[in-house]
């Protein structure tokens, strides 16, 4: 099948459906776990999953990138549960990884008989299904009300067992993690799913050899637990191979980020780049397909830059975005009001950095995990934001607070102070609930005001 | 090290909570807000990353005083590796204190201090059955705030305490209690309850352990604090419930009053689970420091007492 991407643009759901009908059956292959997909071939996961809402009502209000690479990305994202179910049927063991964001999945994927996914990702379900699924009500009834982070939807998804297959093993990172997630994990631990807890220590200024040694030993416990349920030991060589494969994804993402956040006009929308970055966490339950899909995105971005194409006006305000948004619509709104991503800090920078390949694999993984921006000081995280702003020439920073998240209670203030001191650029703090329709008006006004400030600074220095 | 050390104990007043909120934000827990609202300039903060908010509060306090805090990791798991990590964290903190203050840690002095503090905790434990709930917590607060010598003198000749009043025996558990919360304990005891067990960080758990008086004193400290009745933040937290249940069983507890300070996830989000695990009539309260003896709260407490008669 040949599908020529139209000129770069953002299109709505109905327009994508119209485009979708032009795709031949060749492009609509059913999911095949771990199948290799050549870049440029349209493999859409579950056929029609993008056209039929399957309860994901939010898609109707979003605007999407119009490339085939974007369609594949969305389809891959939205068909994850199908892949998990297929993997379960094929006898693959499913490892649910909680909190660590990016490292334990590399261990799981090193086994040919296991795959990892993040139940934490269920925090997007209330947004995607526009609350029709009732997860937050279930969480509320379980004692996790609005005072808790939207990640409480994860607990609800475990309680109603309607959104993903129950894992064969849970691996929970505790220690210097947020309080909400720690409480969610404790409740999930009551559900009689085998669970391994590992200690993710607080990192002061630097990653010390002692901490690396400690976490490496913790990962050794995790590796043995995964090996036990998978039925085969995971050797150092298997881990090293797993690291190399993960690094392919990380290198591709690094290139995507560099191009998407530095080019003007912006070649790929904020919403889709956020999804790309999220792929680093657990490869959306299929490492090989993830690698191919990201390669396709990269090719699309490269081609657009070469052609001088973009999805946003060239003069949109260049902004570093801090924290993932629970409501995907906000990334659309940000761009519609005049923003353009010039860097991000989505809580999991460590998952984007290459894992060292020149040392014992458990130590390499430990070193990677200890770069987690959430286990150190807010000042460290502010430095990441500042580096990002410098690297991509940002004109402002938006800190999107996650309502109820313990780290958000004070972090925004520190980031604001540090960014202003180091760069003197404006910082906007917003709060993004899982479905922000009621707040869209005030958020639009605040974005507008923020971009006016940036434009005024352009004019007056 | 002959340093002037005060335990971080937020006053637990509306004024300090408000000041702390102005410095940080509305979502910070009331305990941390009150602590931040009472920060003095020039103080070196030393603390443990127990919960996420506390660790961030320490960083925040350090920013306010322009003196970087000394923060160690408090492990949440209870493995032998985690225990060793805790020891290495304490050792690091001692070295950092030496570096920052120019004083040396004298192991002999530390050992003597351990012996004295063990004695103080024993004395408080002995006094405990005769004390009202608020007087007991006040003693725990004093023990945390006062140098060993004056505390020893105080306990040798304790001020006349109100004896524990008769009432329905209850276990109090939840977020740590600040001095401002003593009025809340008084409210409970004037509403028909007798606080016979306190599983908060400022209750029985604070004195219900001994530090080994022989061997390396720093290691003894680390082992004792790691192994003492744990806070709810450990994962899994079964040992917390086993301790609280043991207290309840041994002291004839008939009901549980579970209280979280506003914004404290670790206790607030645990409420439903705690009710199930403890298996006793249960009153859950989520409070800021403006609520400690409010009429609304009194009504709820009295209604709970009535339901148990």
């Amino acid at each position: 099948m040949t599908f020529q991407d139209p000129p770069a643009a953002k299109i709505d759901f109905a327009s994508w459906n119209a485009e979708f009908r032009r795709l031949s059956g060749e492009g609509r292959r059913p999911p095949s776990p771990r199948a290799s997909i050549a870049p440029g071939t349209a493999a859409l996961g579950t056929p029609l999953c993008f056209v039929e809402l399957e309860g994901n009502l939010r898609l109707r209000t979003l605007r999407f990138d119009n490339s085939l690479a974007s369609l594949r990305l969305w389809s891959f994202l939205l068909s994850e549960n199908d892949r998990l179910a297929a993997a379960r049927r094929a006898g693959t063991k499913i490892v649910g990884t909680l909190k660590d964001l990016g490292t334990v999945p590399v261990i799981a994927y090193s086994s040919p008989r296991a795959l990892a996914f993040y139940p934490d990702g269920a925090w997007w379900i209330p947004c995607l299904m526009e609350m029709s699924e009732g997860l937050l009500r279930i969480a509320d009834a379980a004692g996790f009300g609005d005072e808790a982070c939207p990640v409480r939807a994860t607990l609800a998804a475990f309680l109603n067992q309607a959104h993903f297959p129950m894992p064969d093993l849970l691996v929970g990172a505790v220690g210097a993690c947020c309080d909400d997630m720690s409480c969610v994990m404790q409740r999930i631990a009551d559900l009689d799913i085998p669970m391994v807890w590992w200690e993710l220590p607080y990192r002061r200024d630097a990653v010390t050899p002692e901490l690396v040694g400690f976490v490496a030993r913790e990962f050794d416990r995790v590796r043995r637990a995964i090996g036990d349920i998978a039925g085969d030991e995971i050797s150092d060589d298997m881990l090293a191979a797993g690291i190399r494969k993960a690094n392919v994804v990380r290198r591709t993402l690094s290139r995507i980020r560099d191009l998407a956040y530095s080019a003007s006009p912006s070649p790929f929308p904020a919403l889709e780049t956020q999804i790309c970055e999220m792929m680093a966490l657990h490869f959306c339950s299929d490492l090989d397909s993830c690698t191919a899909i990201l390669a396709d995105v990269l090719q699309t971005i490269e081609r657009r830059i070469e052609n001088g194409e973009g999805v946003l006006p060239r003069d949109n305000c260049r902004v570093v975005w801090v924290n993932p948004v629970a409501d995907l619509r906000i990334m659309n709104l940000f761009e519609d009001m005049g923003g353009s991503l010039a860097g991000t800090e989505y809580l999991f920078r460590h998952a984007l950095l290459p894992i060292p390949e020149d040392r014992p694999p458990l130590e390499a993984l430990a070193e990677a995990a200890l770069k987690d921006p959430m286990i150190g000081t807010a000042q460290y995280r502010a430095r990441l934001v500042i580096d990002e702003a410098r690297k991509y020439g940002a004109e402002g920073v938006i800190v999107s607070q996650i309502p109820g998240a313990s780290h958000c209670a004070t972090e925004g203030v520190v980031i604001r102070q540090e960014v202003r001191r180091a760069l003197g650029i404006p910082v906007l703090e917003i709060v993004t609930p899982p479905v922000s329709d009621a707040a869209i008006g005030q958020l639009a006004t605040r974005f507008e005001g923020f971009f006016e400030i940036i434009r005024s600074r352009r004019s007056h220095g | 090290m002959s340093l002037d050390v005060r335990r971080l104990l937020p006053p637990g007043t509306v004024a300090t909570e408000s000041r702390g909120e102005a410095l940080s934000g509305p979502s910070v827990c009331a305990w941390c807000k009150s602590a931040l609202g009472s920060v003095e300039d020039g103080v070196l903060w030393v603390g443990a990353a127990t919960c996420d908010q506390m660790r961030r509060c320490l960083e925040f306090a350090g920013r306010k005083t322009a003196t970087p805090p000394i923060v160690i990791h408090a492990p949440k798991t209870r493995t032998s590796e985690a225990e060793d990590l805790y020891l290495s964290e304490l050792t690091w903190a001692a070295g950092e204190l030496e570096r920052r203050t120019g004083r040396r840690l004298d192991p002999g002095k530390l050992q003597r201090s351990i012996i004295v503090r063990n004695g103080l905790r024993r004395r408080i434990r002995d006094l405990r059955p005769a004390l009202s709930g608020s007087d007991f917590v006040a003693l725990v607060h004093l023990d945390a705030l006062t140098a060993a010598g004056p505390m020893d003198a105080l306990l040798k000749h304790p001020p006349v305490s109100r004896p524990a009043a008769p009432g329905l025996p209850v276990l109090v558990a939840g977020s740590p209690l600040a001095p401002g919360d003593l009025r809340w304990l008084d409210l409970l005891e004037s509403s028909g309850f007798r606080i016979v067990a306190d599983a908060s960080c400022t209750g029985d758990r604070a004195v219900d352990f001994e530090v080994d008086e022989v061997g390396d004193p720093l290691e003894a400290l680390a082992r004792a604090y790691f192994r003492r009745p744990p806070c709810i933040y450990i994962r899994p937290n079964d040992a917390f419930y086993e301790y609280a249940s043991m207290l309840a069983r041994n002291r004839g507890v008939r009901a549980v009053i579970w209280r979280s300070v506003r914004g404290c996830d670790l206790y607030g989000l645990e409420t439903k689970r705690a009710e199930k695990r403890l298996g006793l009539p249960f009153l859950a309260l989520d409070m800021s420091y403006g609520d400690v003896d409010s009429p609304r709260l009194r009504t709820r407490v009295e209604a709970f007492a009535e339901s148990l008669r």
Side-chain angles (χ1 to χ4, degrees), chain A residues 106-248:
Chain A
V106 179
I107 301 176
Y109 282 101
S110 298
S111 163
R113 297 179 185 177
L115 66 76
F117 84 110
Y118 275 99
D120 320 17
W123 87 310
W124 266 335
I125 295 174
C127 160
L128 277 170
M129 303 186 79
E130 294 190 337
M131 305 283 201
S132 60
E133 81 301 336
L135 284 184
L136 295 186
R137 278 200 304 276
I138 295 169
D140 200 25
F144 285 65
D146 287 345
E147 73 280 14
C149 163
V151 80
R152 65 191 188 275
T154 302
L155 169 63
F158 270 98
L159 293 176
N160 79 354
Q161 304 196 3
H163 295 278
F164 45 73
M166 289 299 104
D168 299 292
L169 176 72
L170 283 167
V171 181
V174 282
C177 82
C178 39
D179 296 332
D180 316 74
M181 192 60 208
S182 176
C183 293
V184 164
M185 287 190 280
Q186 179 60 74
R187 285 294 289 275
I188 291 170
D190 288 343
L191 298 177
D192 289 334
I193 300 170
M195 184 158 186
V196 184
W197 298 93
W198 66 279
E199 186 82 34
L200 180 57
Y202 172 65
R203 180 200 61 233
R204 282 179 286 270
D205 298 325
V207 176
T208 62
E210 292 76 22
L211 280 187
V212 170
F214 172 78
V215 174
R217 289 190 292 278
E218 293 292 278
F219 279 159
D220 195 32
R221 278 199 299 124
V222 171
R223 157 168 77 169
R224 279 186 273 119
I226 295 175
D228 285 348
I229 61 133
D232 262 330
E233 191 180 307
I234 301 172
S235 67
D236 275 3
D237 286 345
M238 290 159 80
L239 275 181
I243 288 172
R244 284 193 296 274
K245 288 177 91 170
N247 277 341
V248 173

Side-chain angles (χ1 to χ4, degrees), chain A residues 73-367:
Chain A
L73 181 69
W74 277 101
S75 295
F76 187 58
L77 175 77
L78 296 171
S79 57
E80 182 173 13
N81 286 340
D82 296 339
R83 281 191 296 284
L84 288 172
R88 160 76 38 88
R89 286 194 298 276
T92 302
K93 296 298 179 184
I94 297 176
V95 179
T97 49
L98 295 159
K99 162 56 196 136
D100 82 289
L101 300 179
T103 316
V104 169
V106 179
I107 301 176
Y109 282 101
S110 298
S111 163
R113 297 179 185 177
L115 66 76
F117 84 110
Y118 275 99
D120 320 17
W123 87 310
W124 266 335
I125 295 174
C127 160
L128 277 170
M129 303 186 79
E130 294 190 337
M131 305 283 201
S132 60
E133 81 301 336
L135 284 184
L136 295 186
R137 278 200 304 276
I138 295 169
D140 200 25
F144 285 65
D146 287 345
E147 73 280 14
C149 163
V151 80
R152 65 191 188 275
T154 302
L155 169 63
F158 270 98
L159 293 176
N160 79 354
Q161 304 196 3
H163 295 278
F164 45 73
M166 289 299 104
D168 299 292
L169 176 72
L170 283 167
V171 181
V174 282
C177 82
C178 39
D179 296 332
D180 316 74
M181 192 60 208
S182 176
C183 293
V184 164
M185 287 190 280
Q186 179 60 74
R187 285 294 289 275
I188 291 170
D190 288 343
L191 298 177
D192 289 334
I193 300 170
M195 184 158 186
V196 184
W197 298 93
W198 66 279
E199 186 82 34
L200 180 57
Y202 172 65
R203 180 200 61 233
R204 282 179 286 270
D205 298 325
V207 176
T208 62
E210 292 76 22
L211 280 187
V212 170
F214 172 78
V215 174
R217 289 190 292 278
E218 293 292 278
F219 279 159
D220 195 32
R221 278 199 299 124
V222 171
R223 157 168 77 169
R224 279 186 273 119
I226 295 175
D228 285 348
I229 61 133
D232 262 330
E233 191 180 307
I234 301 172
S235 67
D236 275 3
D237 286 345
M238 290 159 80
L239 275 181
I243 288 172
R244 284 193 296 274
K245 288 177 91 170
N247 277 341
V248 173
V249 170
R250 293 179 182 213
R251 276 194 294 272
T252 307
L253 274 170
S254 171
R255 186 76 185 131
I256 288 173
R257 294 180 86 253
D258 281 349
L259 293 176
Y261 300 152
S262 59
S264 181
S266 176
F268 214 56
L271 185 50
E272 279 80 3
T273 50
Q274 184 180 12
I275 295 170
C276 286
E277 289 202 30
M278 290 283 178
M279 293 287 155
L281 300 183
H282 70 285
F283 322 114
C284 221
S285 301
D286 183 343
L287 177 51
D288 295 320
S289 299
C290 176
T291 307
I293 283 166
L294 290 177
D296 199 16
V297 168
L298 178 58
Q299 282 180 6
T300 302
I301 291 174
E302 286 171 338
R303 191 180 62 245
R304 285 177 173 179
I305 290 174
E306 204 177 299
N307 297 341
E309 288 179 59
V311 291
L312 300 174
R314 204 176 278 275
D315 71 339
N316 268 23
C317 300
R318 302 178 54 72
V319 169
V320 176
W321 191 280
V322 181
N323 293 331
V325 285
D327 186 351
L328 301 171
R329 189 179 170 191
I330 295 304
M331 300 314 281
N332 278 172
L333 181 73
F334 160 72
E335 290 182 331
D336 293 345
M337 301 310 297
S340 173
L341 282 189
T344 59
E345 202 329 79
Y346 286 139
L347 309 172
F348 51 83
R349 176 61 53 82
H350 59 303
L352 303 172
L353 302 172
I355 304 166
E357 294 182 17
D358 59 351
R359 63 204 68 175
L362 285 175
E363 284 177 26
L365 288 167
E367 199 176 308

Side-chain angles (χ1 to χ4, degrees), chain A residues 179 190 199 374 376 378 406, chain B residues 52 55 59 73 76-77 273:
Chain A
D179 296 332
D190 288 343
E199 186 82 34
M374 302 306 292
S406 60
Chain B
D52 193 32
R55 120 172 121 90
E59 183 187 357
H73 180 63
K76 308 301 180 294
T77 51
R273 194 163 172 270

Side-chain angles (χ1 to χ4, degrees), chain A residues 141 175-176 179-180 182-183 186-187 190 197 199 202 204 374 376-379 406-407 411 413 417-418, chain B residues 24 28 51-53 55-56 59 63 71-73 75-77 81 89 92 235-237 265 269 272-273:
Chain A
D179 296 332
D180 316 74
S182 176
C183 293
Q186 179 60 74
R187 285 294 289 275
D190 288 343
W197 298 93
E199 186 82 34
Y202 172 65
R204 282 179 286 270
M374 302 306 292
T377 60
Q379 192 168 11
S406 60
H407 60 92
E411 218 173 29
V413 181
Q417 289 170 350
E418 293 293 315
Chain B
S24 52
V28 178
C51 63
D52 193 32
Q53 296 226 35
R55 120 172 121 90
R56 292 172 188 281
E59 183 187 357
R63 290 176 71 82
V71 183
I72 62 165
H73 180 63
K76 308 301 180 294
T77 51
E81 289 82 7
E89 289 287 283
W92 172 83
R235 293 291 178 264
N237 59 16
D265 292 331
L269 299 179
K272 292 238 172 191
R273 194 163 172 270

